[in-house]
Structure formats: structure tokens, C-alpha cells
């Protein structure tokens, strides 16, 4: 029995699968969630969400804030701004936030 990860935006459910591990950009630093994790509720900051399945990096998302809840072997992420890392295109090179996002998608820390 693995951990169920569900990523929800106001428009649609982005991701809903059984996974081994996810590493998320918490407001206080990155943290990992495995199956049978204790109940947990926290906020997210701008960063990369790493999703592992079958002991391999399965998917990465660029996430810009949100809330994550972990309970009953399920991890739910609620966010308004998320995109697959490979789909990200810089929109305005002059904006500082766009520069930060561009740097994040170029260098993965947990591969």
C-alpha cells in the first residue's frame, strides 16, 4: 500500500496517483512525505515538487505556494499556480519571480 497523492487546482485535478515519496517546498524548507506519515498540515512556497514512483523520479512540478494536508495515507496539495516543470516557459524575463522560476526548473536537487 503506497501513498496517494492528489494535486488540486481551482481548474482541475492535476495529479491523482499512488506514489512512493513526494518532496515538497514547504514554507520552512523542503520536506518529504512517505506512506504512513503522521497527520500534517502546512503551507508551501515557490519551488519544485518531486514525485517518486517505483523508486524513480516520476514527475516534477513547479509550484507557487499552496497548502498541503497529509492524513490517512493520503497527501493532498491545494494550489492555484502549478505547472509541470517541463512545460514551464518564462513569460517576462524582467520579473524577478520569473527569473527565480527559470533558475529552479533548470537545476533539480532531488533527482
Amino acid at each position: 500500500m503506497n501513498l496517494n497523492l492528489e494535486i488540486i487546482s481551482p481548474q482541475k485535478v492535476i495529479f491523482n496517483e499512488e506514489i512512493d515519496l513526494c518532496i515538497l517546498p514547504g514554507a520552512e524548507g523542503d520536506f518529504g512525505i512517505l506512506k504512513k506519515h503522521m497527520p500534517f498540515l502546512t503551507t508551501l512556497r515557490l519551488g519544485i515538487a518531486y514525485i517518486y514512483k517505483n523508486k524513480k523520479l516520476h514527475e516534477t512540478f513547479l509550484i507557487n505556494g499552496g497548502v498541503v494536508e497529509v492524513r490517512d495515507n493520503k497527501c493532498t496539495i491545494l494550489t492555484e499556480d502549478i505547472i509541470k516543470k517541463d512545460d514551464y516557459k518564462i513569460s517576462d524575463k524582467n520579473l524577478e519571480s520569473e527569473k527565480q522560476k527559470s533558475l529552479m526548473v533548470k537545476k533539480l536537487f532531488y533527482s
Side-chain angles (χ1 to χ4, degrees), residues 14-71:
I14 306 292
F15 187 91
N16 188 5
E17 294 181 29
E18 297 286 317
I19 64 165
D20 295 331
L21 162 72
C22 63
I23 300 174
L24 304 173
E28 300 293 323
D30 294 352
F31 60 91
I33 303 291
L34 293 163
K35 65 182 177 181
K36 298 183 181 180
H37 197 286
M38 65 180 232
F40 188 63
L41 179 67
T42 193
T43 57
L44 300 172
R45 63 172 164 73
L46 174 63
I48 301 292
Y50 300 83
I51 300 168
Y52 294 84
K53 195 171 180 177
N54 300 319
K55 300 181 181 178
K56 295 180 184 174
L57 184 59
H58 175 67
E59 190 72 71
T60 51
F61 290 93
L62 177 63
I63 189 167
N64 190 9
V67 176
V68 62
E69 177 188 34
V70 178
R71 65 180 210 148

Side-chain angles (χ1 to χ4, degrees), residues 50-99:
Y50 300 83
I51 300 168
Y52 294 84
K53 195 171 180 177
N54 300 319
K55 300 181 181 178
K56 295 180 184 174
L57 184 59
H58 175 67
E59 190 72 71
T60 51
F61 290 93
L62 177 63
I63 189 167
N64 190 9
V67 176
V68 62
E69 177 188 34
V70 178
R71 65 180 210 148
D72 301 327
N73 221 31
K74 182 172 183 174
C75 179
T76 305
I77 298 172
L78 304 174
T79 182
E80 292 182 6
D81 189 4
I82 188 166
I83 188 169
K84 286 186 179 182
K85 180 191 77 69
D86 295 336
D87 293 343
Y88 174 74
K89 304 283 188 274
I90 191 164
S91 60
D92 185 350
K93 294 180 182 179
N94 296 323
L95 288 176
E96 188 62 34
S97 62
E98 291 298 314
K99 290 178 186 176

